[in-house]
Amino acid sequence: MYRILVINPGSTSTKIGVFHDEVPLFEETIRHNQEELAPFETINDQYDFRKQKIVELLHREGINLSKIDAVCARGGLLRPIEGGTYTVNEAMLEDLKVGYAGQHASNLGGIIAHHIAQSLNIKAYIVDPVVVDELSDLARVSGLPGIERTSIFHALNQKAVARRYAKTVHKKYEDLNLIIAHMGGGITVGAHNHGKVVDVNNGLHGDGPFSPERAGTVPAGDLVRICFSGEYYREEVMKMLVGQGGLYGHLGTNDAVKVIEMIRQGNEKARLIFEAMSYGVAKEIGSASTVLKGKVDAILLTGGLAYGKELVADITERISWIADVSVYPGENELQALTEGALRVLRGEERAKKYPKEIEVNTNFSKRR
C-alpha cells in the first residue's frame, strides 16, 4: 500500500490529490485569480506562493504528510525525452527553472514536488510530460529543410489511457498498436506502435485538426500572406493560431457545449464548423492508421470533448471500419500521475534518469 501526493499546476489553478494506491483520498483544485498572480513577474516567482497554498490546504484537510510515500507532479517544458516516470534530479530542476523549452506553469510541478519530497526524505517524480518524443525518423522530416516536425502532445493522458485499455484486453501496452485521439482545448492524435508514439501532430503551434481554440493545419501560402500583409503583429498571428483559432475563431466561443446548443437552435454555420472539426479528427486518425500500416488493435477517444455524444458518434461513424473504438472521456491527470508513480514503487518499471544532455541515437537524433 502506498500513499502518493500528486500536483498538477496550471496557468490559473493548481490541482492536487492524495491517493492510497489507485484510490483517491482527497482531490482539490486551488484557484489563483489574476490579482493573486499579478505581483509575480515570472512563472518561477510563483513557486513559494503556490507551494504554500498546497501545504496550507493539506494541513486544513488533516493530511498527515509524514504518511506520504512519494510526490508526483506533472512534467513541464523539458528537453525531448522518451515516455515514462522520471525521478526529479538537479538536471531536471535546472531546465525547469530556466524554462528550457519555454515558460509554463507546469514547470513548477517538478520544482514543488522536489522540495516537498526533500523535506520528507522521499522521492519526487514526473510522468510523461508534453515533450515526450518517440517519433520515428520518418515522422520528423518536413518538406522544408531547416524545419523539423516536433513532438508536443497530451502524452500523460494518451499513455495512461493506452495502459488502461491494455488492461481491459489483458495485454501489455507494449504489445499493442493503438491510435489515440486526445480531444480538448487542443487535439492530438498519436500512433502508438508497441509502447512508442512514433507519430503525432504538434498540438501546440503545429499541424493536425483544428480544435476549440487552435487553428491546426492551415494553407501555408495564405498564412505567409497574412504574416506579411502588414496588418498584424507577430503576437496577433500567434493568437490566431493558438487561443483564437478553431471553434473560437469561427463561432466566438471555445465551449463545445455552447456550440451544440447553437446547432440545436438551428445555427447552420455552427453545424458546419463543428462537423468540420470532427471530420478533421477522423481524417487525422485515418492518416495515423497508415503509419501503423493498417495494423491497428483499437482506436481510443479521450479528453474533455469525448464527453460529447454527437462528436464521438460522428467520428466513430467515419473510422470504425479501421478498428474497434473505445471512449475514455476526460483527462484524469491526477490519476495518471499516481499510476506512473505506482509502477515505479511497485517495481513494475524502473524510474528513468533525466539527462543533462540528449544523447544522439537512431530514435532521438537532432533534437532541438
Side-chain angles (χ1 to χ4, degrees):
M1 296 288 191
Y2 295 100
R3 185 168 290 192
I4 302 167
L5 169 63
V6 287
I7 302 169
N8 180 11
S11 57
T12 58
S13 67
T14 304
K15 297 178 183 178
I16 66 170
V18 176
F19 286 71
H20 192 74
D21 286 346
E22 288 89 354
V23 179
L25 300 179
F26 165 76
E27 293 182 77
E28 187 65 69
T29 298
I30 305 171
R31 305 290 179 185
H32 310 302
N33 60 48
Q34 292 300 323
E35 289 74 19
E36 289 178 309
L37 299 179
F40 306 111
E41 293 185 11
T42 68
I43 293 293
N44 276 338
D45 292 340
Q46 299 177 19
Y47 160 72
D48 285 324
F49 166 76
R50 295 220 192 196
K51 178 189 172 187
Q52 187 62 30
K53 289 286 186 181
I54 293 170
V55 173
E56 288 174 357
L57 178 58
L58 291 172
H59 283 317
R60 284 200 306 271
E61 295 296 325
I63 303 296
N64 186 344
L65 288 176
S66 68
K67 301 294 186 181
I68 300 294
D69 295 295
V71 186
C72 190
R74 181 184 177 192
L77 297 178
L78 294 159
R79 299 169 190 265
I81 52 178
E82 66 179 354
T85 299
Y86 286 78
T87 304
V88 179
N89 59 15
E90 290 301 322
M92 182 185 296
L93 290 171
E94 181 180 341
D95 282 351
L96 290 172
K97 289 174 182 176
V98 301
Y100 177 85
Q103 293 291 341
H104 189 271
S106 60
N107 291 4
L108 292 169
I111 300 171
I112 294 172
H114 167 76
H115 287 288
I116 292 177
Q118 190 176 50
S119 69
L120 300 172
N121 197 31
I122 56 178
K123 294 285 189 180
Y125 303 102
I126 67 162
V127 182
D128 292 326
V130 295
V131 293
V132 164
D133 187 343
E134 299 167 340
L135 296 185
S136 69
D137 288 340
L138 285 175
R140 296 187 191 283
V141 181
S142 82
L144 188 61
I147 295 181
E148 185 179 80
R149 294 186 67 243
T150 58
S151 177
I152 299 179
F153 72 110
H154 304 90
L156 179 62
N157 190 41
Q158 283 206 25
K159 283 183 172 280
V161 164
R163 292 186 177 97
R164 287 172 200 156
Y165 172 80
K167 284 185 178 180
T168 66
V169 295
H170 308 291
K171 292 185 178 181
K172 293 182 179 179
Y173 169 42
E174 293 77 13
D175 294 333
L176 295 170
N177 275 357
L178 303 170
I179 298 173
I180 304 179
H182 176 109
M183 304 179 295
I187 294 175
T188 56
V189 178
H192 296 239
N193 185 349
H194 294 85
K196 300 291 184 184
V197 185
V198 295
D199 204 339
V200 65
N201 62 294
N202 181 332
L204 184 58
H205 293 156
D207 48 9
F210 71 78
S211 74
E213 56 186 35
R214 297 174 193 174
T217 300
V218 295
D222 291 330
L223 181 59
V224 171
R225 176 179 54 78
I226 289 174
C227 290
F228 286 90
S229 67
E231 298 179 23
Y232 305 99
Y233 291 108
R234 179 181 183 275
E235 292 76 14
E236 291 176 305
V237 175
M238 287 302 297
K239 283 183 179 179
M240 292 180 190
L241 298 176
V242 183
Q244 296 178 357
L247 293 185
Y248 183 89
H250 285 288
L251 303 172
T253 179
N254 61 4
D255 188 335
V257 175
K258 290 182 179 179
V259 175
I260 292 294
E261 185 58 31
M262 293 165 68
I263 294 171
R264 288 173 179 165
Q265 292 174 1
N267 189 320
E268 289 303 315
K269 179 180 179 182
R271 182 184 303 278
L272 172 66
I273 300 304
F274 195 73
E275 289 184 0
M277 184 173 72
S278 66
Y279 172 87
V281 176
K283 187 164 71 169
E284 193 75 15
I285 290 170
S287 175
S289 72
T290 68
V291 172
L292 300 175
K293 300 180 180 179
K295 299 176 182 177
V296 183
D297 293 299
I299 299 168
L300 313 181
L301 305 180
T302 184
L305 291 179
Y307 284 109
K309 294 181 180 179
E310 296 90 346
L311 181 72
V312 168
D314 191 38
I315 293 171
T316 301
E317 183 180 6
R318 295 179 182 276
I319 63 171
S320 58
W321 60 273
I322 299 172
D324 290 341
V325 180
S326 295
V327 184
Y328 293 80
E331 297 190 30
N332 303 310
E333 291 175 322
L334 297 183
Q335 185 78 40
L337 292 170
T338 300
E339 292 167 358
L342 284 172
R343 287 193 295 274
V344 170
L345 294 172
R346 290 170 174 168
E348 297 169 7
E349 292 179 11
R350 294 184 62 181
K352 296 179 179 180
K353 181 179 179 181
Y354 182 76
K356 290 184 179 179
E357 296 181 358
I358 300 298
E359 296 179 2
V360 176
N361 60 42
T362 302
N363 295 319
F364 301 96
S365 60
K366 295 183 179 180
R367 304 287 177 87
R368 54 177 179 268

